[in-house]
């Protein structure tokens, strides 16, 4: 570690860095070269990202303020000062988001796609919508009055409501008005498709809140609606668990999920021009003053994600469909185990199919020679082939152990359901270690072969989720290397039993030694640089916010190590600072697929080493989670991973480069031809046959 303390000004605050990331997502919604319905999708992602940020990160700052916490973080911010900066920047972001929304709606109208106000409908359309409201919406609505005898009802987090200000027939309109709220039903589609003529290419929708507002008088007979305005509350959604005191962790999490509905208010979104009395009632009830966002458009644009996915016949407004190819190594031989006995295999999602991972588990489940399957599950898809295969394996008598992470944020309920299903089928279900999330992605298959046992292992950078594997970039390693297999057995014994951490021959595991292994590798590169030997670090991940790790990279830079970081989201390291980090570059790629893989390259004096990992370089990953760092020992596979890194570094279309001031600028092609890393990666030969790629001039030769 460094011997002198690094000034706070040499770091970028984590939350402010995250806001810059969400700006980059918004820029994709603004990019006119992005297909229109893909821009709609990015606009929805901005909203869902902000929801999680507010309910977790901003909620945490409010908790600090309530507790009287007055200590600066390592970037120099007090909670109060940080909150003010966050509110200012997110306020600007939301304003820009809705400016983008209006622009996109103008573009959609040219394609025959409209969200129309009720007042602008034709008489025939109004009749159809009136009938829909009467038949479908009205029976579900529940008006909830607020007065002396009826206290303010529970307002659910991130649900849409209508605030209604009323006067009573026959009473003085100058008297204090009446107040009520109505929840917009979340179990009905928020957007209602307008009936169209046969063969019509027009897609017209009305939002449910618009219909409710138009018909609000039907809910309050004898009263006169003065104002009807939409609002939405975000509550603190972080779970607070007493794991050591919980006899049954599963039941404890179920209780906390119910408590989440009562979390402290964090953000209030209100329709622009909300009636002052309604706004005063909401502020007073939720005890919220500063974090109120006035929204100039529909509140919560995340509904756009589902709407755009249901529009049919508009292929010209989307990216061309990509069908992942099945890995050639397995395609030539149906027996995956036979392939792995002779060679390791690397797969790169979403360009290569996740079916290879599913087939590995399914084959193990039905292979009579397989004795045991051990696996970690963090987030899995709704219709998981893997869960059914594991259940079948257990029912057939195999020893099946599944480490299910119940604390995967916002997937807790789904994981509880899978855990119960697996337990019923006879699987040994383990909920990890007390105080630690199990975030590692690893599967171990033990197979009887001749007179001995052989272990087969899959290690990945992404979750065992077939849905996200089509949307996220991740790599996975299949191997029967006995050293990796022994380490995998030791890891599972540590998680499921009382085994103390053993010496690992290949794997590094957080929180035990992964961080220290990284530090050793950083320092080794620095020593090579000081000795005049080749020294370089290239690392690709989602986030970098761990102070000590950043300090080690600063030391490596000062020693002369060239450090190239490819970080999609948060980065607290400040690159390009003279005397500190002038040898470090940071770039972020936000494009069609979510960059999720963690790959690390060390030049090592001319003897390169390459690793894949489940861990970002954040405090939670290195100190509070079970994570893996796995070396890729096969030389051809090392070259594949190096090529993936080089392709990312060469991107001059979607790459944005972090400046010393904390801002990102778009990397310009300059005199080079445009190179878009994700589109180039769709050519499987580009990274699986690196020599061919260089010969074709598709990517630069290794520097």
């Amino acid at each position: 570690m460094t011997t002198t303390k690094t000034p706070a000004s040499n770091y970028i605050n984590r939350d402010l860095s995250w806001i810059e990331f969400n700006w980059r997502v918004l820029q994709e919604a603004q990019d006119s070269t992005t297909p229109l319905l893909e821009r709609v999708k990015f606009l929805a992602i901005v909203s869902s990202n902000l929801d999680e940020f507010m309910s977790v990160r901003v909620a945490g700052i409010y908790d600090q303020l309530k507790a009287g916490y007055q200590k600066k973080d390592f970037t120099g911010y007090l909670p109060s000062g940080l909150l003010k900066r966050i509110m200012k920047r997110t306020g600007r972001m939301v304003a820009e988001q809705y400016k983008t929304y209006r622009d996109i709606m103008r573009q959609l109208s040219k394609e025959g796609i409209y969200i129309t106000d009720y007042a602008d409908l034709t008489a025939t359309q109004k009749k159809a919508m009136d009938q829909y409201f009467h038949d479908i919406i009205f029976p579900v609505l529940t008006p909830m009055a607020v007065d002396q005898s009826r206290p303010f009802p529970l307002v659910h987090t991130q649900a849409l409501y209508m605030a209604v200000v009323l006067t009573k027939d026959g009473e003085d309109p100058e008297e204090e008005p009446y107040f009520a709220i109505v929840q917009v039903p979340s179990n009905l589609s928020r957007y209602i498709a307008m009936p169209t003529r046969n063969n019509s290419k027009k897609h017209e929708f009305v939002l449910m809140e618009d219909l409710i507002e138009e018909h609000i008088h039907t809910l309050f007979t004898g009263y006169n609606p003065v104002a009807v305005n939409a609002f939405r509350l975000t509550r603190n959604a972080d779970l607070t668990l007493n794991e050591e005191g919980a006899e049954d962790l599963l039941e404890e999490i179920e209780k906390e999920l119910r408590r989440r509905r009562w979390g402290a208010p964090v953000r209030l979104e209100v329709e622009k021009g909300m009636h002052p009395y309604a706004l005063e009632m909401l502020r007073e009830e939720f005890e919220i003053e500063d974090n109120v966002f006035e929204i100039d458009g529909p509140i919560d644009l995340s509904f756009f994600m589902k709407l755009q996915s249901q529009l049919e016949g508009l292929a010209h407004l989307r990216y061309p469909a990509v069908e992942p190819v099945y890995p050639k190594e397995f395609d030539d031989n149906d027996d995956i185990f036979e392939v792995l006995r002779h060679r390791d295999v690397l797969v790169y999602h979403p360009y290569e199919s996740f079916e290879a991972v599913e087939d590995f588990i399914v084959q193990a489940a039905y292979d009579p020679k397989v004795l045991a399957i051990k696996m970690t599950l963090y987030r899995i898809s709704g219709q998981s082939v893997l869960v059914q295969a594991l259940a079948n394996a257990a029912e057939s008598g195999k020893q099946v152990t599944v480490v299910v992470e119940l604390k995967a944020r916002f997937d807790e309920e789904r994981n509880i359901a899978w855990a119960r299903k697996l337990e019923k089928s006879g699987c040994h279900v383990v909920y990890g270690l007390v105080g630690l999330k199990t975030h590692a992605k690893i599967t171990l298959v033990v197979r009887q072969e001749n007179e001995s046992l052989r272990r087969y292992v899959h290690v990945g950078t992404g979750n065992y989720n077939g849905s996200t594997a089509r949307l996220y970039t991740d790599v996975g390693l299949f191997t029967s290397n006995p050293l990796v297999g022994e380490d995998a057995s030791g890891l599972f014994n540590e998680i499921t039993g009382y085994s103390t951490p053993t010496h690992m021959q290949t794997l590094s595991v957080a929180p035990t030694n992964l961080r220290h292994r990284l530090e050793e590798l950083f320092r080794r590169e620095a020593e090579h640089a000081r000795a005049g030997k080749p020294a370089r670090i290239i690392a690709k991940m989602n986030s970098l916010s761990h102070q000590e790790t950043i300090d080690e990279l600063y030391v490596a830079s000062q020693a002369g190590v060239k450090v190239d970081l490819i970080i999609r989201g948060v980065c607290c390291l400040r690159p390009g600072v003279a005397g500190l980090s002038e040898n470090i570059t940071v770039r972020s790629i936000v494009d069609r697929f979510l960059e999720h893989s963690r790959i690390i390259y060390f030049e090592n004096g001319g003897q390169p080493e390459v690793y894949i990992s489940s861990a970002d370089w954040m405090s939670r990953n290195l100190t509070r989670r079970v994570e893996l760092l796995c070396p890729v020992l096969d030389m051809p596979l090392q070259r594949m991973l190096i090529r993936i890194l080089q392709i990312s570094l060469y991107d001059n279309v979607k790459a944005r480069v972090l400046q010393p001031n904390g801002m990102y600028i778009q990397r310009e092609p300059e005199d080079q031809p445009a190179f878009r890393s994700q589109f180039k990666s769709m050519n499987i030969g580009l990274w699986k046959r690196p020599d061919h790629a260089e010969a074709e001039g598709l990517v630069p030769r290794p520097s």
Side-chain angles (χ1 to χ4, degrees):
M1 294 296 296
T2 54
T3 56
T4 58
K5 186 175 180 180
T6 304
S9 60
N10 288 330
Y11 305 101
I12 300 169
N13 178 268
R14 169 182 169 173
D15 295 311
L16 299 181
S17 178
W18 181 91
I19 292 171
E20 290 303 312
F21 158 67
N22 213 33
W23 270 107
R24 298 195 291 279
V25 178
L26 179 56
Q27 288 169 359
E28 290 302 300
Q30 297 171 326
D31 189 345
S32 60
T33 65
T34 301
L36 189 54
L37 289 180
E38 305 294 342
R39 293 175 61 189
V40 169
K41 190 185 300 183
F42 280 113
L43 199 63
I45 293 171
V46 171
S47 286
S48 56
N49 283 351
L50 266 174
D51 283 350
E52 182 171 348
F53 179 69
M54 288 289 172
S55 64
V56 177
R57 295 299 304 175
V58 175
I61 298 173
Y62 273 114
D63 286 344
Q64 289 179 343
L65 291 172
K66 289 177 182 176
Y69 187 82
Q70 288 296 320
K71 186 178 179 181
K72 289 183 179 180
D73 64 17
F74 74 91
T75 65
Y77 277 94
L78 288 168
S80 55
L82 178 58
L83 186 62
K84 289 178 182 177
R85 291 289 298 274
I86 288 173
M87 291 303 102
K88 185 176 180 180
R89 292 197 187 188
T90 52
R92 289 208 310 263
M93 179 188 298
V94 170
E96 187 69 18
Q97 181 191 15
Y98 278 87
K99 180 181 175 183
T100 306
Y101 160 77
R102 289 186 287 276
D103 176 60
I104 287 177
M105 291 310 302
R106 286 191 291 270
Q107 299 298 321
L108 287 173
S109 67
K110 296 176 183 178
E111 299 290 342
I113 303 169
Y114 307 86
I115 293 179
T116 308
D117 292 337
Y118 180 90
D120 297 329
L121 300 178
T122 66
T124 302
Q125 290 175 327
K126 286 181 178 178
K127 183 178 180 181
M129 290 298 97
D130 292 346
Q131 192 66 46
Y132 182 89
F133 176 84
H134 180 271
D135 294 345
I136 305 297
I137 300 176
F138 180 82
V140 183
L141 297 178
T142 302
M144 294 176 284
V146 179
D147 55 29
Q148 290 181 341
S149 64
R150 289 170 289 195
F152 214 105
L154 171 65
V155 171
H156 296 283
T157 186
Q158 296 175 5
L160 189 62
Y161 288 82
M162 310 300 288
V164 187
V165 178
L166 307 129
T167 59
K168 191 173 184 179
D169 291 345
E171 289 189 353
D172 185 351
E174 297 301 319
E175 292 288 329
E176 183 175 350
Y178 296 86
F179 182 74
I181 66 172
V182 179
Q183 183 176 355
V184 177
S186 58
N187 53 357
L188 296 177
S189 176
R190 185 173 168 190
Y191 50 89
I192 300 113
M194 199 71 63
T196 58
R197 295 191 182 95
N198 292 335
N199 302 320
S200 173
K201 295 183 179 180
K202 193 174 182 180
H203 303 269
E204 194 167 3
F205 302 91
V206 173
L207 294 180
M208 194 188 332
E209 60 263 35
D210 196 14
L211 282 185
I212 293 173
E213 180 178 355
E214 181 63 31
H215 297 86
I216 199 71
H217 60 279
T218 63
L219 296 171
F220 300 97
T221 56
Y223 291 79
N224 300 309
V226 175
V228 184
N229 302 114
F231 74 93
R232 183 171 178 258
L233 182 70
T234 300
R235 296 182 180 274
N236 186 328
D238 222 8
L239 293 181
T240 303
L241 294 171
N242 177 18
E243 291 187 51
E244 293 187 8
E247 293 185 11
D248 190 320
L249 182 59
L250 188 146
E251 290 183 3
E252 180 71 13
I253 289 178
E254 288 178 324
K255 291 177 185 176
E256 279 297 323
L257 288 174
R258 291 192 289 272
R259 293 188 199 117
R260 181 182 276 173
R261 296 179 297 175
W262 289 95
V266 174
R267 172 186 59 168
L268 177 62
E269 298 166 278
V270 300
E271 182 182 329
K272 185 178 181 181
M274 173 172 263
H275 192 283
Y277 182 76
L279 183 56
E280 180 186 349
M281 290 288 290
L282 297 177
R283 282 183 183 271
E284 182 179 329
E285 171 61 25
F286 303 136
E287 298 180 353
I288 193 165
E289 289 295 329
D290 300 327
N291 205 0
V292 178
F293 289 81
E294 192 175 61
I295 304 299
D296 189 9
I299 295 175
D300 180 21
L301 297 179
S302 63
F303 75 91
F304 261 144
M305 184 66 76
K306 186 176 289 186
L307 188 151
Q308 63 83 26
S309 69
Q310 294 181 354
L311 290 170
E312 299 178 354
L314 297 166
H316 65 290
L317 301 181
R318 307 181 194 276
Y319 286 125
V322 174
E323 192 59 37
V325 300
Y326 198 82
K328 187 177 186 300
E329 297 89 338
F330 295 142
D331 207 20
D332 293 341
N333 190 331
D334 291 337
D335 188 342
I336 291 177
F337 298 127
E338 182 180 348
V339 173
L340 297 181
R341 279 194 292 275
H342 296 93
R343 60 173 299 183
D344 291 353
V345 174
L346 186 81
V347 292
Y348 188 19
H349 312 299
Y351 314 111
E352 291 187 294
S353 176
F354 187 74
E355 289 180 7
V357 179
E358 294 174 337
D359 289 349
F360 174 65
I361 306 298
V362 170
Q363 183 174 329
Y366 290 98
D367 187 333
K369 293 184 179 180
V370 168
L371 305 180
I373 303 172
K374 302 184 181 185
M375 187 176 187
T376 60
L377 290 180
Y378 190 73
R379 299 186 197 274
I380 49 180
S381 58
Q383 301 295 325
S384 177
V385 172
L386 302 179
V387 169
Q388 190 58 53
L390 293 170
N392 291 342
E395 289 168 354
S396 67
K398 292 180 171 59
Q399 294 294 307
V400 180
T401 303
V402 185
V403 181
V404 177
E405 181 46 71
L406 296 179
K407 302 183 292 295
R409 185 177 289 135
F410 303 122
D411 269 352
E412 298 97 343
E413 291 182 85
R414 177 180 293 171
N415 285 3
I416 287 171
W418 290 131
R420 292 197 186 282
K421 179 175 181 178
L422 290 168
E423 284 180 327
K424 289 180 181 177
S425 67
C427 296
H428 301 297
V429 178
V430 179
Y431 303 133
L433 299 170
V434 171
L436 301 175
K437 281 187 179 181
T438 303
H439 192 251
K441 295 88 172 59
I442 184 168
T443 300
L444 169 65
V445 174
V446 181
R447 192 170 186 267
Q448 178 77 52
E449 295 182 3
N450 299 322
E451 299 300 319
S452 62
L453 298 180
R454 186 188 291 266
R455 298 178 180 95
Y456 297 87
V457 178
H458 172 267
V459 178
T461 66
N463 299 312
Y464 287 109
N465 187 315
S467 298
T468 57
R470 298 180 70 92
L471 304 173
Y472 295 7
T473 71
D474 274 304
V475 293
L477 172 69
F478 293 91
T479 182
S480 64
N481 184 298
L483 298 181
V484 176
E486 288 179 25
D487 285 354
S489 290
L491 172 64
F492 279 106
N493 289 342
E494 180 183 343
I495 295 174
T496 63
Y498 286 117
S499 295
T500 56
T502 56
H503 173 69
M504 296 282 182
Q505 303 166 88
T506 58
L507 301 180
S508 300
V509 181
T512 308
N513 70 334
L514 192 157
R515 172 187 161 191
H516 300 301
R517 177 60 177 154
L518 287 174
E519 290 175 353
E520 290 172 359
L521 294 169
F522 295 156
R523 293 169 185 175
R524 187 185 65 185
E525 291 302 310
E527 290 172 3
H528 286 317
R530 295 186 190 103
K533 297 180 180 179
R536 189 178 184 186
I537 300 169
I538 308 175
K540 183 177 183 297
M541 69 197 79
N542 296 288
S543 300
L544 168 59
S545 64
H546 187 247
Q547 182 184 5
E548 287 78 8
T549 300
I550 294 171
D551 290 343
E552 290 287 349
L553 291 170
Y554 285 157
V555 171
S557 171
Q558 293 164 28
V561 179
K562 180 175 172 53
V563 181
D564 291 303
L565 303 175
I566 307 156
I567 303 174
R568 171 176 54 88
V570 169
C571 180
C572 296
L573 179 148
R574 198 179 292 276
V577 177
L580 178 75
S581 58
E582 65 264 49
N583 290 318
I584 303 177
T585 67
V586 179
R587 69 201 69 207
S588 168
I589 297 173
V590 178
D591 201 349
R592 174 177 184 171
F593 303 117
L594 185 142
E595 293 288 340
H596 193 257
S597 54
R598 290 96 167 186
I599 307 169
I600 313 162
Y601 167 85
F602 296 97
E603 183 76 17
N604 190 28
Q607 298 180 341
E609 292 181 358
V610 186
Y611 297 80
I612 64 173
S613 181
S614 63
D616 293 315
W617 294 349
M618 305 176 75
S619 296
R620 69 186 188 193
N621 299 93
L622 301 178
T623 63
R624 301 193 301 275
R625 290 184 172 186
V626 177
E627 302 272 15
L628 281 182
L629 177 72
C630 177
V632 176
L633 304 173
D634 183 89
M635 292 296 291
L637 300 193
Q638 284 187 5
R639 288 197 292 270
M640 290 181 194
L641 289 168
I642 293 169
R643 184 57 60 197
I644 290 172
L645 293 173
Q646 289 175 321
I647 289 170
S648 296
L649 290 175
Y650 201 51
D651 192 308
N652 58 16
V653 177
K654 290 299 181 181
R656 295 169 177 86
V657 181
L658 178 59
Q659 304 302 299
N661 64 1
M663 300 293 106
Y664 287 77
I665 63 171
Q666 191 94 23
R667 185 182 174 194
E668 299 296 335
E670 299 173 351
D671 58 344
Q672 300 172 327
F675 188 94
R676 192 168 176 176
S677 58
Q678 289 192 358
F679 280 34
K680 292 296 183 182
S681 294
M682 292 179 194
N683 175 357
I684 299 301
L686 188 60
W687 59 273
K688 282 221 164 181
R689 291 184 293 157
D691 296 335
H692 168 74
E694 290 171 8
E696 295 294 324
L698 296 173
V699 290
R701 294 183 182 277
S703 58

